[in-house]
Amino acid sequence: TLIEILITSAIMVVALVSILGFFAYSLSAAGGDRSLAIAEYEAERQMEAICAMDYSNGVNGVKETFTNNGAKRETPFNLTSNLTGRGTVYAEELPGAADSLMRIKVAVCYQDKDRTVGEDVNFNGILDAGEDVNNNGEIDSPCQLETVLVNKET
């Protein structure tokens, strides 16, 4: 009958709309994954460049380039991709270690559609007032890498 056909059609329309809504959400989530993958590439690229440098070699060493005479310093860097954002390198020598050790942290903050990913909301690569959400004195991001370098020259 006509009523049964209308009810069946209504059920199919509801099912189809919910499937299309899930499909749209999946496409949106995939776009965020793409942005995160690009940001991870940027962080890895910067970390590899730092690890390829000498620990201390005049003006070209990691210590001279990325620390304030061994003390912690933040150094912004530009992203090479078309991702809107900025990266920050934190480097500091770790006191009390038998060998010279340096902690290196690379964080990439970026724009993903209408939201900022990471604490650097103005993308200047410097921790400004109000940006340090967890009060650790550094820019943090879901896309960050951290390692410890050993001075092999001593």
Side-chain angles (χ1 to χ4, degrees):
T1 66
L2 182 60
I3 294 176
E4 291 172 337
I5 292 174
L6 289 175
I7 291 173
T8 304
S9 297
I11 291 172
M12 290 184 69
V13 165
V14 169
L16 185 60
V17 167
S18 64
I19 290 172
L20 289 176
F22 178 73
F23 182 70
Y25 173 76
S26 297
L27 286 177
S28 174
D33 289 345
R34 181 180 178 279
S35 297
L36 179 60
I38 293 170
E40 288 171 346
Y41 164 77
E42 293 283 357
E44 289 170 3
R45 183 188 60 78
Q46 186 67 27
M47 185 65 83
E48 287 175 8
I50 293 169
C51 290
M53 297 172 72
D54 290 335
Y55 187 93
S56 179
N57 183 18
V59 295
N60 297 322
V62 175
K63 180 177 179 180
E64 291 77 11
T65 304
F66 293 103
T67 70
N68 185 15
N69 200 22
K72 180 166 69 171
R73 184 176 94 189
E74 61 187 0
T75 306
F77 66 94
N78 294 322
L79 306 182
T80 60
S81 65
N82 61 354
L83 196 64
T84 300
R86 191 105 186 233
T88 305
V89 175
Y90 286 96
E92 65 182 326
E93 284 191 310
L94 300 175
D99 292 323
S100 296
L101 298 176
M102 187 179 306
R103 180 184 77 94
I104 305 289
K105 174 183 169 183
V106 176
V108 175
C109 299
Y110 60 96
Q111 186 77 29
D112 183 28
K113 295 185 180 110
D114 59 347
R115 70 183 187 106
T116 299
V117 178
E119 291 181 337
D120 190 16
V121 296
N122 60 358
F123 304 127
N124 65 352
I126 297 172
L127 187 63
D128 298 314
E131 289 182 334
D132 195 8
V133 176
N134 60 357
N135 295 317
N136 67 346
E138 297 179 353
I139 293 174
D140 295 303
S141 172
C143 180
Q144 66 185 34
L145 303 173
E146 198 163 337
T147 191
V148 175
L149 296 181
V150 177
N151 185 1
K152 299 176 191 172
E153 301 163 6
T154 58

